């Protein structure tokens, strides 16, 4: 099933990864205190066309929630997703940050 994707946290490269076949999507991050800054989003067009953008970002947000840290979306794609899903993920934002 498409929702059953598994993301990997590549701590060495500081990025979350989603591998589907020969394609890999990435969300690069930087950790600071109890915050994770999602700085860069990359997804091959083939995966994008198959609808993996939302699935990948949701999986990363759920991982951040599980770690009980705040999320700062500095990538335009991530910020746009958060704006569209504000009600569900607003609690992930640090105090004083509005999207």
């Amino acid at each position: 099933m498409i929702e059953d994707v598994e993301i990997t946290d590549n701590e060495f490269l500081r990025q979350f990864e989603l591998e589907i076949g020969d394609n890999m999507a990435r969300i690069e991050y930087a950790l600071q205190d109890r915050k994770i800054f999602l700085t860069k989003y990359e997804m091959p067009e083939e995966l994008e066309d198959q609808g993996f953008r939302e699935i990948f970002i949701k999986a990363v947000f759920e991982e951040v929630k599980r770690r009980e840290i705040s999320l700062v979306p500095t990538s335009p794609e991530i910020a746009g997703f958060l704006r569209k899903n504000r009600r569900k993920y607003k609690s992930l934002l640090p105090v004083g940050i509005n999207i």
Side-chain angles (χ1 to χ4, degrees):
M1 180 108 208
I2 203 168
E3 270 82 18
D4 295 333
V5 298
E6 191 173 315
I7 62 168
T8 305
D9 181 0
N10 184 331
E11 292 179 14
F12 180 73
L13 295 176
R14 288 188 229 117
Q15 64 187 19
F16 292 104
E17 300 171 344
L18 171 66
E19 224 173 321
I20 306 289
D22 293 337
N23 294 306
M24 182 185 290
R26 299 171 183 80
I27 295 178
E28 294 178 10
Y29 65 81
L31 285 170
Q32 182 180 353
D33 298 321
R34 299 278 309 145
K35 295 181 192 84
I36 187 165
F37 293 78
L38 302 180
T39 57
K40 187 175 181 183
Y41 167 87
E42 289 181 13
M43 180 168 284
E45 193 171 321
E46 184 178 329
L47 294 182
E48 193 88 39
D49 292 345
Q50 293 176 35
F52 280 101
R53 173 194 287 244
E54 189 168 309
I55 293 164
F56 183 35
I57 296 173
K58 277 183 183 179
V60 170
F61 280 23
E62 291 302 319
E63 177 62 19
V64 170
K65 187 185 289 187
R66 187 189 67 72
R67 293 180 186 188
E68 299 179 348
I69 57 178
S70 297
L71 179 147
V72 181
T74 58
S75 157
E77 296 88 354
I78 304 294
F81 176 84
L82 187 60
R83 240 180 256 110
K84 281 199 281 186
N85 298 279
R86 183 174 306 151
R87 288 190 177 151
K88 184 171 183 179
Y89 296 111
K90 184 177 170 117
S91 64
L92 293 178
L93 293 172
V95 174
I97 300 285
N98 291 309
I99 297 293

